[in-house]
Amino acid sequence: MSEEKWTVNFVVYRKKGEGAPHYQTFTLEVSPEEYVIDGVERIWAFHDRSLVFAHACHHSTCGACGMRVNGVEKLTCITRIRDVTSNGGTLRIEPLRNFPVISDLVVDMSRLYVGMDKVHAPAVHPLSMAPLEGEGIKPPREVPMDDGKEYLRLADCIECGLCISACPVAGTAEEYLGPAVLAAAQLQGLGRAPDLTAVVDCVDGVWRCHSAYECTAVCPSSVDPGWRIMDLRRQVLAQRIRRWFGGA
Amino acid sequence: MENPTKKPNTRGILDWFDPRGRRVGGWGFILNRLTAIGLTVYLYLHLIMLGKLAQGPEAYDSFIAFAKQPLIMFGEMLVIIGGLYHGLNGVRIALNSFGVGVPAQKQLLYGVLGLTLVGSLIFGLRMFATH
């Protein structure tokens, strides 16, 4: 890591209980090669132990550290400070949008997990059904496999919620399933999982999307939810057309 | 941990129009919403204008004379721009919804903007040449 040091103002969203939200500024000396989560952790460690934020893996696997950095959804463990501000600059750190704020930078992601359950792609599997537990044990549903016969569960979706936060209509449609959930349905495919048609072919399913493609732009795992939603629409339309002509 | 509010962290429809951090598709969405609202307002103004017909020829003629003011003609230009953009972007989204051109959604949006510009110029030139 370089010896270069930057002075950066972290302007952090704070909210406790029913209190009004406000912003608190912490001025830190950081290496520009550090990641945003490093700065947030340092604030907690050396400036204010009451700061609430979520993190775990530090390598973009757990999806816990999603926040808005200068107004854009980022997974803060892979967002280098150099890429989002400059020496003497500001980093505005806010919680994800479109989820209830529990405290400071932590949001209640139930909306996402409930949606995943609706499309039979639960975030947590019973241990007996976990696909990594050995021979003969399968996921709860048949999901596509790549050429190497590896399960492609949710095409690497880490359920970070950035897509729901970035979606401009998710804030005015609380029942909207949202990009990650629709992507999970698309991956299974309506042909393989026809029961999902009723879940996604509705006003708060594929038809609520207004094609802003912000979900795809912020996704840290290249799931491309925007494309997947459009493909799911295509599948729904194909099913309808087949039904018009008497098909199944 | 207890969630005190359960109210989503959103500013509602204000977030539709928040341009901060938006990319090409997001700007397309913002323009689509703005033109939708503009066209809806215009529809009501248009119906009010048509109501002048029921008030007799003098009322209608005086409105037409009023409508030839530069400000009103500028408003008509906005209607044309909004109508062209909204309609063409609708075609873009419809194509995407059939699985056509999704990876090229940005380029399609640039095409929509280009066609809107060309169509608006043609209309504007004809309108100002006629009046």
Side-chain angles (χ1 to χ4, degrees), chain A residues 15 17-18 68 71-72 95-103 108 110 166 168-169 171-172 174 210-214 217-218 227 230 233-234 237, chain B residues 1-13 15-16 18 20-27 29 33 92-93 96-99 102-103 105:
Chain A
K15 185 179 190 317
E18 297 290 349
R68 277 186 298 147
V72 181
L96 296 182
R97 268 188 296 216
N98 306 331
F99 297 103
V101 174
I102 295 174
S103 182
D108 180 348
S110 301
V169 295
T172 48
E174 286 182 42
H210 282 65
S211 311
Y213 296 104
E214 292 289 350
V218 300
W227 175 82
M230 292 303 128
R233 275 188 184 170
R234 183 192 57 74
L237 289 169
Chain B
M1 193 180 293
E2 189 71 18
N3 174 14
T5 62
K6 283 284 180 192
K7 203 174 154 199
N9 175 27
T10 171
R11 293 176 301 158
I13 63 170
D15 281 342
W16 290 351
D18 186 349
R20 289 173 298 174
R22 296 294 184 205
R23 269 73 32 149
V24 175
W27 277 100
F29 168 82
R33 288 271 140 147
R92 164 180 166 260
I93 292 172
N96 283 182
S97 296
F98 279 99
V102 179
Q105 60 90 10

